[in-house]
Amino acid sequence: MTQPQHPLTYFPAPFYDYSHTYNNWVPLFISELHALSAPPAPHFDTERRPTFFYLNHPIRYIKLVGIVISHDIYARKFGAAIGEGAGKLDEELGRTGGGRHVVTLDDGSGHTVEITGDIKHFENLRRGDVESGRVWKVKGSMAEFRSVRNVQVETITVFDEGSETLKEVQFWQEMVKFRKQFMSEPWAVTDEMREEVEKQRQLHIKAERREKDSSLLVEQKQISKRASPKTKPRKTQRRSTEERCKLREEKSRARRRVIANADKSQAILIS
């Protein structure tokens, strides 16, 4: 790996998406995978782990080509290796209850790496695909177990016998091209990137503020609802209305009786 002449600047995680290496499959030698570094602690984004760095380029997805050295299947229940160079993989699945596969690859760069994955990543492979000497192209994400770097597999391509050398050369050419195009110099952040990140940060703050205000409004409504007096039952309200109607009818009948009595008295006086 190229060593920088000056101290590297590690940019905060919100800038990662503007890097050409963060969201792409980065071709690497296995030795380079082990040489990738993590930035100083204040810049390490724990929410986006595992993220490693070539110079100051953030990398989380890698692809590599190597020769199969060994293949083991570990039972989930016991955590022990069942066997090396297992035969038909779907037969092994019945024995392991869906165990974890570990394949060691070597690309001749001076280091090896373990490729790990569940049965779903290996179930489409033929019996001979995991034999020692077969050449694989692997895509995956990086992780560490007991301070040892490994690859969590996403896809596996097994090169046809007889075409391995040509495929390896094509991969090396792809790696050189990618390196010259995107990774030959330390990564730099432009003013436009800073403005866009600041804009997104302000939008995020506003969204959080709106969400907080909405939560407070809902809480205030709930408090007001609990504090307000309870309304009378509908039956009680209906009963009081009926009583008022009856009272009006009684008053009306009383007025009619008074008027009728007054008419009778006037008629008697006239006669």
Side-chain angles (χ1 to χ4, degrees), residues 223-234:
I223 293 174
S224 299
K225 186 176 180 180
R226 290 194 297 265
S228 61
K230 296 182 178 181
T231 57
K232 294 182 179 180
R234 185 175 296 178

Side-chain angles (χ1 to χ4, degrees), residues 125-188:
L125 299 181
R126 299 187 302 271
R127 177 171 182 168
D129 291 340
V130 296
E131 292 180 352
S132 298
R134 296 307 302 270
V135 180
W136 285 12
K137 181 179 181 178
V138 175
K139 292 181 178 180
S141 58
M142 290 172 291
E144 285 187 346
F145 179 68
R146 295 178 180 174
S147 300
V148 177
R149 199 74 51 84
N150 62 69
V151 176
Q152 306 293 320
V153 66
E154 291 292 336
T155 64
I156 299 171
T157 302
V158 181
F159 293 153
D160 295 331
E161 291 181 307
S163 67
E164 295 99 331
T165 302
L166 176 62
K167 296 292 186 181
E168 284 185 279
V169 172
Q170 290 175 346
F171 177 77
W172 297 338
Q173 292 173 343
E174 177 189 358
M175 182 165 48
V176 170
K177 181 180 178 180
F178 191 92
R179 192 74 47 81
K180 288 182 177 179
Q181 189 173 2
F182 301 118
M183 300 168 60
S184 59
E185 297 291 336
W187 177 42

